[in-house]
Amino acid sequence: MPKSEMTLSEELEWRGFVNQSTFENIKDLDKKKWTFYHGFDASADSQTVGNLAAMMFDKVFMRHGHKAIILAGGATSLIGDPGGKDSERILQTENIIEHNVEKAEYQLHKIFKDHTFRLVNNIEWTRDMNVIEFLRDIGKHYSMTSLIQRDYIAKRLGENGNGITYTEFSYTLLQGMDFLHLFDKYGVDLQLGGSDQWGNCLSGVDLIRRARAKEAHVITLPLVINKATGKKFGKSEDGAVWLDPDKTSPYKFYQFWLNADDEGVGSYLKIFTELERSEVDQTMNEFSLNRSARLAQKTLAFEVTKLVHGRQQAERQRKIVNVLFGSEDALDLDESEMEMLAHELPVALVGRRLQLEDLFNALVETKLASSKSEARRFFDSGAIYINDNRLELNSGFLYDSFSGYAILRRGKNNNALLKFYK
């Protein structure tokens, strides 16, 4: 994509990526080319939509020509970040973390595929460090007084806290050590992170200042909030929205973005896509004139799905949505697309020549109706469609699809699938 006409600091502010910073003026970012690093947790076998926001934060710096070091937390994930947790995480085995790192690296390469970056793993410089080295070279530079004043540590040590183990307490020192190591080896002078990592990021800044008498900086992005609910963005009814298609299917992934709230969709376009300001402004202007058309959500769903799962998958999901909501013919879906829908929608097995009784049974089986009597009422009121054709009593109910499927719909948005047997 073309380079933004905005400066780095201008684009970061416009996209809503600026939260805490060690810079007195955020415009100081524009004075030089930085070598930055950003760490990603490997406690799960997939990154989430929340992690995607952090990746898009990184990509702004990459587009503006800054050098990127992306760190997979092979070592720190073995301990687990205590930030935001009321009790200690369950520790995972080295094999699990190693597997998770491999999965994270695959997803990072997909998201950053158009950019040059160096991928490192902090297990490389911590695995062989002994305790004495750690205490003498790292621990001596930290004051217990300042550490126990960190919000998450103070909360755990407080009157109603669950306490904190030395293992968890050491997490912030390990992250500080990462910054120092990358400063020494690659000249990293800037760390990016989420707002919940502010204290841990400062550990690295302080360590570099004390151990090397040099200056380093941090900038964090704010937590993305669903403006309609006030809760953390990135959750669906099924839980976290994952980047791995085996954990959140491309269909459900696309639907998640399509269902974005009107209040926040403009912010999500800035955060989760690489659309330029003029493109976002045009989309939001058209959206404001006709919100029911949901142009902003459709643009968001297509752009993010394209980024995470590729253009072909994004076009496929857009086509499926258009069929389900009536703007394209269901017969345009090929067999593979119907098979995919069979994993996402309720399915009823029916004969080729569909009789009324079969239809009512199918409506109940797919939960488009709670009973046969309700199914009859829906039918009598003209609310039942097969492949966008309203069913009527004089219909032959003979449907023959080369794929063996048809879309059963009640009203505007309630869909299921019929699978025909010979």
Side-chain angles (χ1 to χ4, degrees):
M1 65 174 296
K3 184 178 178 181
S4 172
E5 295 180 357
M6 294 180 278
T7 66
L8 172 61
S9 64
E10 287 171 342
E11 183 169 359
L12 289 172
E13 290 188 304
W14 174 71
R15 291 193 184 274
F17 280 144
V18 178
N19 192 31
Q20 307 115 312
S21 173
T22 52
F23 294 103
E24 290 185 11
N25 188 329
I26 197 65
K27 295 186 184 302
D28 290 343
L29 278 170
D30 303 324
K31 293 180 179 179
K32 58 170 282 188
K33 291 299 182 184
W34 300 88
T35 299
F36 74 89
Y37 101 90
H38 196 161
F40 287 86
D41 184 64
S43 57
D45 60 358
S46 173
Q47 301 293 293
T48 67
V49 164
N51 302 126
L52 181 61
M55 296 178 202
M56 301 306 288
F57 185 32
D58 298 340
K59 291 186 81 173
V60 176
F61 282 83
M62 293 178 182
R63 288 199 299 275
H64 284 268
H66 301 273
K67 293 181 181 179
I69 307 288
I70 305 300
L71 181 147
T76 42
S77 297
L78 286 168
I79 291 176
D81 184 1
K85 301 295 180 182
D86 294 327
S87 58
E88 186 172 17
R89 294 171 184 255
I90 297 175
L91 298 182
Q92 301 188 72
T93 67
E94 290 188 37
N95 288 339
I96 290 176
I97 295 299
E98 186 177 348
H99 169 74
N100 293 349
V101 167
E102 289 177 0
K103 299 278 283 187
E105 289 178 349
Y106 173 76
Q107 291 172 346
L108 290 166
H109 277 293
K110 285 186 68 177
I111 301 300
F112 297 142
K113 63 182 173 139
D114 297 325
H115 301 279
T116 300
F117 66 99
R118 182 186 294 273
L119 191 62
V120 298
N121 185 338
N122 57 17
I123 196 71
E124 297 167 11
W125 55 87
T126 56
R127 179 186 284 116
D128 297 327
M129 174 176 269
N130 64 46
V131 175
I132 299 301
E133 284 179 314
F134 178 71
L135 294 176
R136 286 178 60 88
D137 298 341
I138 304 300
K140 72 173 183 177
H141 294 293
Y142 287 91
S143 165
M144 288 292 294
T145 304
S146 60
L147 287 176
I148 63 175
Q149 291 172 351
R150 297 275 172 88
D151 288 345
Y152 67 90
I153 295 178
K155 183 179 179 181
R156 293 276 289 275
L157 292 176
E159 183 176 346
N160 296 317
N162 292 320
I164 188 167
T165 65
Y166 184 76
T167 298
E168 293 180 288
F169 188 80
S170 299
Y171 182 93
T172 192
L173 276 69
L174 289 176
Q175 188 164 319
M177 185 174 71
D178 288 343
F179 201 167
L180 178 64
H181 174 85
L182 297 174
F183 175 87
D184 288 341
K185 187 168 184 177
Y186 301 111
V188 171
D189 47 9
L190 176 66
Q191 182 180 0
L192 311 188
S195 59
D196 60 337
Q197 290 296 305
W198 175 244
N200 291 332
C201 294
L202 290 180
S203 289
V205 171
D206 291 343
L207 182 59
I208 290 169
R209 177 173 53 83
R210 293 172 184 272
R212 301 291 182 267
K214 296 291 180 66
E215 186 178 72
H217 287 280
V218 170
I219 180 170
T220 66
L221 76 159
L223 186 68
V224 183
I225 298 297
N226 183 321
K227 293 183 179 179
T229 64
K231 297 180 180 179
K232 183 179 178 180
F233 182 80
K235 300 281 188 178
S236 69
E237 291 182 1
D238 298 327
V241 179
W242 304 93
L243 305 192
D244 186 336
D246 293 331
K247 294 174 74 73
T248 297
S249 70
Y251 172 84
K252 289 181 179 176
F253 189 82
Y254 194 95
Q255 293 290 327
F256 169 77
W257 298 102
L258 199 62
N259 292 325
D261 56 290
D262 287 355
E263 295 89 344
V265 69
S267 296
Y268 309 148
L269 282 169
K270 296 175 185 178
I271 294 169
F272 294 102
T273 80
E274 293 182 280
L275 295 176
E276 293 286 347
R277 183 190 297 204
S278 59
E279 296 172 297
V280 173
D281 288 346
Q282 181 178 348
T283 299
M284 292 307 296
N285 286 338
E286 293 183 34
F287 172 68
S288 66
L289 296 175
N290 182 12
R291 291 197 170 202
S292 63
R294 301 185 69 75
L295 174 65
Q297 283 88 349
K298 291 176 182 177
T299 302
L300 178 67
F302 182 83
E303 290 294 329
V304 185
T305 304
K306 180 178 70 173
L307 176 72
V308 175
H309 297 300
R311 176 176 287 276
Q312 183 178 9
Q313 190 63 260
E315 290 176 346
R316 168 176 279 191
Q317 298 307 322
R318 179 165 61 186
K319 177 181 176 183
I320 288 171
V321 165
N322 289 341
V323 167
L324 292 178
F325 295 98
S327 61
E328 288 190 28
D329 194 324
L331 297 178
D332 290 338
L333 294 181
D334 61 29
E335 185 171 0
S336 66
E337 289 162 343
M338 284 293 195
E339 288 285 355
M340 191 204 71
L341 272 180
H343 293 286
E344 308 293 346
L345 299 177
V347 180
L349 187 65
V350 295
R352 291 283 186 191
R353 188 175 294 276
L354 193 67
Q355 304 297 322
L356 265 181
E357 189 69 16
D358 301 324
L359 174 66
F360 297 157
N361 287 336
L363 288 168
V364 173
E365 183 179 348
T366 58
K367 295 183 169 42
L368 294 186
S370 60
S371 64
K372 286 187 179 181
S373 58
E374 185 177 55
R376 161 68 79 173
R377 289 197 297 274
F378 287 143
F379 175 80
D380 290 343
S381 66
I384 305 301
Y385 300 78
I386 292 182
N387 287 348
D388 291 328
N389 297 307
R390 179 183 278 118
L391 298 186
E392 299 175 352
L393 192 57
N394 59 358
S395 297
F397 305 118
L398 180 63
Y399 293 91
D400 198 356
S401 170
F402 70 90
S403 66
Y405 291 96
I407 294 176
L408 176 65
R409 178 162 57 88
R410 189 201 82 216
K412 288 185 65 175
N413 301 326
N414 301 287
N415 294 286
L417 215 58
L418 297 178
K419 183 174 183 179
F420 297 101
Y421 60 83
K422 295 180 181 179

